[in-house]
Each structure stands twice: as C-alpha cells, then as structure tokens.
Amino acid sequence: MINKVILVGNVGNDPEVRYISEDLPTARLSLATSEVYTDKTGQRVTKTEWHSITVWRGLAKTVEQYVKKGMQLYVEGKLSYRTYEKDGVTKYATDIVANEIKFLGKREGGSESTYTPAQPAAAAVAPASAPVAPDFDAPPADDLPF
C-alpha cells in the first residue's frame, strides 16, 4: 500500500508551533496550490486549493525557524484523516503529515529565500539547486562497453 502526497505551493500563514513536551514539537501551516485552465467560454480560470500541513520533531523545529508566509515549498508526506467534535457536531479533516520539505523560489514580495540552517533536521532539505544538464559533447568518462 502507498500513501504519498507531493505538493508544491505557497505558505498561507506563518507556522503555528506547539511543544507537546519539551523535546516534541509539532507545527501546522497551510499551503496553497493553484491550477490554471480555460473554461468552456474561453476564460482563464485559476483554482486554488488549500492544504493543511502538519510536521513533527526536527522538521517542525526547522519549519519554526525558517518557514514564513508567502514562501514557496515542496512538501512530501502522507494523507491523514481525523475527526473531532465542535459544538456537538462531528467534523472531518484531512491533513498532510510532511516528512520532507524543500525551500523553493522566492518569497512573496520578490526577495530570495536563502536558508542555511546550522544543523538541519534529517528530513529537512536545503534549498533546491538547479539540475545540471548532461554534456553530450563530452568524451565518455571511461571505455566500458555498455
């Protein structure tokens, strides 16, 4: 069985961080993803979905220190469903429990997002760098027959 979610979007609010115990932090934030399409009348339509993201432990500490509203993030994790009661009514919620976050692009307002944590959490990843294109004109590195 696979339960995996990958999202790229913008942070909708500064993270809310709570410490369940002195060494067990958890953080929640919202992430907006958008899709642009043309409807039947030829009008461009932008549809935005909001996702509730939850992170734990070391990744929550990294989020607390570096993530701010407007940042673009890559989030990888799993779907988690929960129910709770509010005013006697049962409510249902879907969360993404993140196990990897990458900082991407620019913050809202145009300034670069550069983050260099002293000791990032194991699941946290430094800002993504551009992939290196292969040099097809370069000679082969060795003479292997395959």
Side-chain angles (χ1 to χ4, degrees), residues 14 19 72-73 88 105:
D14 287 341
Y19 282 78
Q72 186 180 42
L73 299 180

Side-chain angles (χ1 to χ4, degrees), residues 21-138:
S21 66
E22 187 176 313
D23 59 342
L24 183 58
T26 183
R28 294 180 59 86
L29 59 123
S30 61
L31 191 76
T33 58
S34 296
E35 158 184 26
V36 179
Y37 62 92
T38 305
D39 67 10
K40 294 180 203 176
T41 65
Q43 297 291 319
R44 283 180 53 108
V45 177
T46 302
K47 181 179 178 186
T48 301
E49 298 283 346
W50 288 93
H51 311 277
S52 177
I53 311 295
T54 302
V55 294
W56 292 88
R57 296 179 177 76
L59 189 53
K61 288 181 181 182
T62 300
V63 164
E64 177 180 35
Q65 190 172 5
Y66 297 105
V67 173
K68 302 290 181 220
K69 178 180 178 178
M71 289 180 63
Q72 186 180 42
L73 299 180
Y74 166 96
V75 176
E76 190 172 309
K78 65 180 180 177
L79 283 174
S80 176
Y81 302 100
R82 60 186 169 89
T83 60
Y84 61 96
E85 283 210 22
K86 185 174 182 180
D87 301 326
V89 177
T90 302
K91 303 279 185 172
Y92 301 90
T94 302
D95 295 317
I96 310 306
V97 179
N99 56 23
E100 182 177 349
I101 291 179
K102 294 180 185 179
F103 306 114
L104 304 174
K106 297 182 179 185
R107 285 187 187 192
E108 210 170 81
S111 64
E112 283 292 326
S113 297
T114 2
Y115 301 95
T116 51
Q119 289 186 333
V125 179
S129 60
V132 177
D135 184 3
F136 292 109
D137 296 326

Side-chain angles (χ1 to χ4, degrees), residues 139-146:
D142 52 37
D143 294 329
L144 296 177
F146 56 102

